[in-house]
């Protein structure tokens, strides 16, 4: 591959929510690596995630020309980005973290952070920050986005209603996983409080760091999807999901 790529890494579809926000600001040659063989990251140990990311980056560097890496995953970022930066000092890594600082900066007093178990473990405790660890939500969203059966829709709705019971008394909801941000419009239909995620901040940071690598004079981005577990149909499904998000067409059906 002669092109230089901005590499997105996530365990599955979640990072597409970050990618979609970026593409509304800037166009890049993007290589999206979905580590579906080891999904979801949120239920792995910190050491397992670190070792896995180290392996992925080492292999990608031998096959492509990356000008930067984006961890489009809160769990990968909070558990591993410091470790990865030490192991690859010549590369630039941009992470995705829950919008905890932003929510307090905006004046909210009692936010609820929902995230994977591994992400919750890495979050610094605050007196007025409430945390809800969700073991299956990211996995259920992955299933729903790639196969919209009635059963998968039911599992998503069940998860949302579970969150709704815990959000009482809170003034905002932090979506601490890029998978959650994928279905933000659906969550908003059932939980009517302000919701924040880190995707806009990540997109701005990417544009700041790599703006010179953006594709000029074009309305189209070059996006390639590759997977750790061979699944040819997923490529077209991921492309469709990206286009649906860009067109605001994600529905619970």
């Amino acid at each position: 591959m002669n092109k230089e790529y901005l590499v997105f890494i996530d365990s599955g579809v979640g990072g597409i929510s970050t990618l979609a926000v970026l593409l509304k600001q800037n166009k890049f040659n993007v290589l999206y690596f979905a580590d579906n063989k080891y999904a979801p990251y949120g239920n792995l140990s910190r050491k397992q995630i670190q070792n896995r990311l180290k392996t992925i980056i080492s292999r990608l560097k031998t096959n492509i020309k990356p000008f930067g890496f984006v961890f489009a995953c809160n769990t990968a970022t909070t558990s591993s980005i410091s470790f990865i930066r030490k192991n690859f000092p010549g590369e630039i890594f941009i992470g995705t973290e829950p919008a905890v600082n932003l929510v307090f900066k905006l004046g909210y007093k009692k936010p609820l952070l929902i995230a994977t178990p591994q992400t919750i473990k890495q979050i610094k405790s605050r007196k007025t920050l409430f945390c809800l660890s969700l073991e299956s939500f990211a996995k259920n969203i992955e299933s729903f986005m790639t196969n919209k059966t009635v059963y998968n829709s039911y599992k998503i709705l069940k998860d949302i209603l579970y969150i709704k019971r815990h959000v009482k008394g809170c003034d905002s909801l932090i979506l601490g996983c890029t998978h959650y941000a994928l279905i933000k419009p659906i969550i908003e239909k059932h939980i009517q409080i302000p919701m924040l995620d880190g995707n806009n901040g990540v997109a701005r940071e990417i544009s700041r760091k790599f703006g010179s690598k953006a594709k000029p004079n074009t309305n189209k981005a070059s996006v390639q999807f590759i997977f750790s577990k061979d699944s040819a149909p997923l490529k077209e499904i991921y492309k469709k999901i990206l286009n649906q998000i860009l067109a605001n067409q994600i529905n619970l059906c």
Side-chain angles (χ1 to χ4, degrees):
M1 294 185 178
N2 294 321
K3 288 182 181 179
E4 286 188 304
Y5 286 91
L6 177 63
V7 178
F8 269 64
I9 299 175
D10 186 30
S11 63
V13 300
I16 294 179
S17 66
T18 313
L19 178 58
V21 173
L22 173 65
L23 295 183
K24 292 178 181 178
Q25 299 181 13
N26 262 319
K27 307 297 187 291
F28 294 91
N29 290 322
V30 175
L31 183 71
Y32 187 108
F33 183 88
D35 195 15
N36 55 331
K37 185 176 180 179
Y38 291 86
Y41 282 165
N43 293 330
L44 301 180
S45 71
R46 185 178 185 182
K47 193 65 177 177
Q48 286 175 314
I49 299 168
Q50 290 176 347
N51 289 337
R52 183 59 190 158
L53 290 171
K54 186 177 179 180
T55 298
I56 291 169
I57 293 163
S58 296
R59 291 178 179 175
L60 287 175
K61 277 170 56 64
T62 63
N63 295 308
I64 66 169
K65 295 179 180 179
F67 62 80
F69 292 86
V70 179
F71 286 178
C73 171
N74 290 267
T75 299
T77 301
T78 56
S79 68
S80 306
I81 198 163
S82 295
F83 170 84
I84 292 298
R85 282 172 174 157
K86 288 179 182 178
N87 279 271
F88 299 93
E91 303 295 339
I92 299 175
F93 296 91
I94 294 176
T96 306
E97 295 187 1
V100 174
N101 292 332
L102 176 61
V103 76
F104 284 111
K105 184 178 180 180
L106 292 175
Y108 295 104
K109 303 299 183 183
K110 295 182 179 180
L112 174 67
L113 167 64
I114 56 173
T116 67
Q118 187 55 242
T119 296
I120 293 294
K121 288 180 183 178
Q122 309 303 323
I123 297 299
K124 185 177 180 180
S125 177
R126 300 194 188 194
K127 286 184 179 179
T128 58
L129 175 66
F130 302 93
C131 297
L132 182 61
S133 177
L134 301 172
E135 291 190 6
S136 302
F137 197 26
K139 183 178 181 180
N140 290 341
I141 292 171
E142 184 85 19
S143 298
F144 166 73
M145 294 300 296
T146 56
N147 187 18
K148 291 188 179 180
T149 63
V150 173
Y151 179 62
N152 286 338
S153 297
Y154 164 76
K155 287 194 294 182
I156 289 295
L157 182 57
K158 186 178 179 181
D159 287 331
I160 293 173
L161 294 178
Y162 175 76
I163 296 166
K164 187 175 183 178
R165 292 199 297 271
H166 287 80
V167 83
K168 291 180 179 179
C170 296
D171 61 2
S172 53
L173 183 65
I174 304 171
L175 306 180
C177 173
T178 53
H179 277 73
Y180 307 167
L182 279 176
I183 63 164
K184 185 177 179 180
I186 299 172
I187 300 174
E188 287 175 329
K189 290 180 180 179
H190 300 275
I191 303 176
Q192 288 83 33
I193 63 172
M195 297 182 192
L196 297 95
D197 61 67
N199 284 335
N200 280 303
V202 175
R204 285 194 299 270
E205 181 65 6
I206 293 171
S207 295
R208 187 181 73 83
K209 288 272 190 181
F210 306 118
S212 62
K213 300 288 186 178
K215 298 173 66 179
N217 303 320
T218 179
N219 292 320
K220 292 186 177 181
S222 170
V223 180
Q224 293 189 42
F225 293 100
I226 59 174
F227 303 85
S228 56
K229 183 179 180 181
D230 185 32
S231 186
L234 281 179
K235 289 187 178 181
E236 292 306 315
I237 292 173
Y238 272 45
K239 289 178 184 178
K240 183 178 179 180
I241 291 170
L242 176 59
N243 290 330
Q244 286 177 332
I245 296 171
L246 290 172
N248 297 315
Q249 292 179 346
I250 299 297
N251 298 301
L252 190 62
C253 61

